Amino acid sequence: MKRKRINIKIIIFTIMMLSTIIMPCFSRQAFAATTTSDIIAEAKKHLGKPYRWGGKGPNSFDCSGFVSYVFKQFDINLPSYIGYEGDSIHNYGQVVSNISDLKPGDIVIEENYGHVGIYVGNGNIIHAANPKDGVKIGPIYNYVTARRIIKDTPVTPPVPVNPYEEIDRIIFDANFYADANTDVRDIYGYDYDKLYQHWQEHGKKEGRSPSAIFDPGYYLANNSDVKDAVGNTYEGAYIHFEKYGYKEDRVLSPVFNMIYYKQANSDVKALGSNLGILTHFMKYGMNEGRVASEEFNPGIYAQRNSDIKDAFGKNYKKYYDHYIIHGRREGRVCH
């Protein structure tokens, strides 16, 4: 019986080809498994370091600068910026929509794409929180979405649902929208994506406010040229605001007047664009209790309404929200 000769060269070639397929997969899995704990360990080295706007480390950080710095120590390059537009951290990695699916090492995005941290487990993130606390570990607040970084490859950004997505994301506050619209909250809870979709598909037509910063009815009443141009329709008010209004020095709501906010806050005026100023008010101004209109002063609102002060303490943003949702209708003293 004649034996078949085994071609050693073919076997070696086959093994080499298989290794080029198998090894990269193994390497990616090992990378994802091992760097997660390393990333958290690196992040914890910076606990207690000070918060500084624009800080990118290693001695001080802002929220996005902190996340970017930590991942950079492992040759994972992420932008030191978080926001819905531009080259933002949220454009990288795999999307983690549900908070229940989070794993340690995931990048958690909060507060209307305005804050970011690294998930450490048990509902907590490590993040550059604010000037008072610096880098700390604390509970997730106002979860929007998360990203799981497997490799340094950008994913395709979500397709905007409308041409004014950028400004809409800036002025939308899911917590406010839920609290101001209990019928919607009863259905969707505080789910950011579902609340945002409801506002886009129904809320604008119905005249529902996305946050304390913009009230379509107030916008029409206090900008007569807009009312003359679009009629007395809420949808028209939104369209005008998105196309023109936010670029102009308009009165947007009882608590926000663009001209007043610029004049009362010289550091804000230095930001230049109205888009940047709106972003500042949503992310920082309300939390700092800055006065942005003649009609509303959060400090006076707290002093003259002791029940509200007892409820909210120094959480100034709650004063703005309460006044728009309840206080104005109740005739509360606010200035």
Side-chain angles (χ1 to χ4, degrees):
M1 182 176 176
K2 191 174 181 180
R3 291 184 178 180
K4 292 183 179 180
R5 181 177 293 178
I6 299 174
N7 192 323
I8 300 298
K9 290 183 178 180
I10 292 176
I11 293 175
I12 293 173
F13 177 77
T14 302
I15 292 172
M16 291 176 65
M17 290 300 294
L18 286 172
S19 68
T20 62
I21 298 172
I22 295 171
M23 289 305 291
C25 295
F26 174 80
S27 298
R28 284 195 292 269
Q29 291 170 351
F31 174 81
T34 58
T35 58
T36 295
S37 57
D38 291 340
I39 285 169
I40 293 175
E42 173 64 30
K44 288 182 177 179
K45 292 179 184 178
H46 306 284
L47 283 169
K49 287 188 177 180
Y51 177 100
R52 180 177 63 84
W53 169 254
K56 300 178 182 179
N59 298 317
S60 61
F61 305 91
D62 64 12
C63 66
S64 54
F66 173 69
V67 171
S68 176
Y69 178 86
V70 169
F71 277 87
K72 191 174 183 179
Q73 306 316 299
F74 302 92
D75 296 322
I76 301 173
N77 296 311
L78 300 174
S80 56
Y81 167 73
I82 183 64
Y84 196 80
E85 74 285 356
D87 186 23
S88 166
I89 289 175
H90 89 279
N91 289 333
Y92 292 72
Q94 293 182 334
V95 176
V96 182
S97 298
N98 297 320
I99 193 170
S100 59
D101 294 330
L102 283 174
K103 294 181 180 180
D106 288 348
I107 296 176
V108 174
I109 299 166
E110 303 178 317
E111 299 180 12
N112 195 26
Y113 289 83
H115 191 70
V116 66
I118 300 170
Y119 188 62
V120 296
N122 297 319
N124 292 314
I125 59 171
I126 182 168
H127 59 139
N130 52 56
K132 178 182 177 182
D133 298 322
V135 178
K136 61 177 285 190
I137 293 176
I140 294 172
Y141 173 75
N142 197 6
Y143 180 84
V144 175
T145 185
R147 297 294 182 265
R148 184 163 297 149
I149 303 300
I150 296 176
K151 57 181 180 178
D152 187 18
T153 303
V155 297
T156 303
V159 178
V161 298
N162 68 66
Y164 311 113
E165 183 81 8
E166 180 180 2
I167 182 63
D168 280 359
R169 291 284 182 179
I170 289 172
I171 66 171
F172 185 75
D173 180 342
N175 284 348
F176 173 94
Y177 194 72
D179 290 339
N181 302 283
T182 55
D183 57 327
V184 181
R185 186 181 66 196
D186 290 343
I187 300 172
Y188 301 123
Y190 288 90
D191 186 302
Y192 178 93
D193 290 332
K194 291 179 180 178
L195 291 170
Y196 182 78
Q197 183 178 358
H198 181 276
W199 176 57
Q200 289 289 326
E201 295 178 356
H202 308 288
K204 287 182 177 181
K205 297 175 184 177
E206 297 166 358
R208 302 192 191 228
S209 295
S211 64
I213 202 172
F214 186 76
D215 180 329
Y218 194 89
Y219 186 69
L220 290 172
N222 288 272
N223 297 280
S224 58
D225 59 323
V226 177
K227 188 174 182 179
D228 292 340
V230 304
N232 196 29
T233 65
Y234 297 128
E235 193 169 17
Y238 273 112
I239 291 172
H240 183 277
F241 167 74
E242 292 165 334
K243 291 182 70 174
Y244 312 108
Y246 81 88
K247 302 173 186 177
E248 302 163 351
D249 291 337
R250 298 277 183 174
V251 178
L252 306 184
S253 82
V255 303
F256 190 85
N257 179 321
M258 182 66 75
I259 294 177
Y260 190 97
Y261 194 53
K262 289 179 181 179
Q263 292 176 345
N265 301 277
S266 58
D267 58 327
V268 173
K269 187 177 181 180
L271 293 173
S273 74
N274 283 4
L275 191 66
I277 292 170
L278 288 172
T279 302
H280 182 277
F281 183 71
M282 289 293 294
K283 290 177 66 174
Y284 307 106
M286 283 192 283
N287 290 322
E288 296 168 359
R290 300 207 187 202
V291 180
S293 76
E294 295 179 350
E295 182 173 332
F296 183 77
N297 184 313
I300 294 176
Y301 194 60
Q303 292 174 4
R304 301 294 294 273
N305 299 278
S306 59
D307 58 326
I308 300 175
K309 185 177 181 180
D310 291 341
F312 301 137
K314 293 184 178 180
N315 188 344
Y316 292 111
K317 182 182 180 301
K318 288 290 187 181
Y319 294 119
Y320 293 92
D321 291 354
H322 184 276
Y323 178 66
I324 294 297
I325 297 172
H326 305 291
R328 195 160 178 259
R329 185 180 67 251
E330 296 168 359
R332 301 254 188 175
V333 177
C334 59
H335 62 89

